[in-house]
Amino acid sequence: MDTEELRDYLTENSNIENLFTSKCLQYLTEKNNQRSLDKRWPQERIDREAANMYYKFLVNIHDKISSNFKGLAKHDPNKWRHFISVNEMLDQLEESVVEIEFE
């Protein structure tokens, strides 16, 4: 499973992307509001930054899950789905995202 397939799987089976992006947007907006008016980012830039933060988070998740597989198993989406399910990773990730705080 590649990063995009993992993203699709998480989107279809959890609320992780929405939770994470919402937290990012809140953090980035607060940070942006602390800037002087002439240095504030437009909303489009804040949205892009939040999307980039989620993508980095997603790559990190992908790399950690991928390290549990060897050889061709790294590319088998069914093995990934099984691993995620057996280890209850969706629930754990959602809980982690709810508790995450940006600094």
Side-chain angles (χ1 to χ4, degrees):
M1 183 176 280
D2 63 22
T3 306
E4 291 305 315
E5 289 172 320
L6 178 59
R7 180 182 193 163
D8 293 344
Y9 178 79
L10 293 178
T11 300
E12 292 170 12
N13 296 286
S14 74
N15 200 26
I16 293 168
E17 183 173 6
N18 292 334
L19 290 169
F20 189 90
T21 303
S22 175
K23 287 211 168 216
C24 287
L25 289 171
Q26 180 180 358
Y27 165 73
L28 291 169
T29 300
E30 288 173 9
K31 189 174 172 183
N32 195 44
N33 288 338
Q34 294 172 358
R35 292 185 177 96
S36 62
L37 286 174
D38 61 324
K39 298 206 182 219
R40 287 194 183 164
W41 294 350
Q43 186 61 45
E44 295 80 20
R45 172 128 187 229
I46 293 171
D47 294 342
R48 265 194 324 271
E49 291 294 324
N52 287 337
M53 289 172 74
Y54 179 69
Y55 186 75
K56 289 176 185 176
F57 175 74
L58 184 65
V59 168
N60 189 17
I61 293 167
H62 180 272
D63 292 347
K64 287 183 180 188
I65 296 173
S66 180
S67 69
N68 291 286
F69 297 105
K70 294 182 178 160
L72 295 177
K74 284 185 178 187
H75 306 289
D76 185 347
N78 292 324
K79 291 189 187 296
W80 280 68
R81 287 185 198 95
H82 178 73
F83 181 83
I84 291 168
S85 175
V86 166
N87 292 290
E88 298 177 359
M89 293 189 72
L90 294 179
D91 292 336
Q92 291 175 21
L93 283 169
E94 282 187 350
E95 288 174 19
S96 296
V97 169
V98 166
E99 294 174 6
I100 199 168
E101 290 186 29
F102 298 106
E103 295 178 8

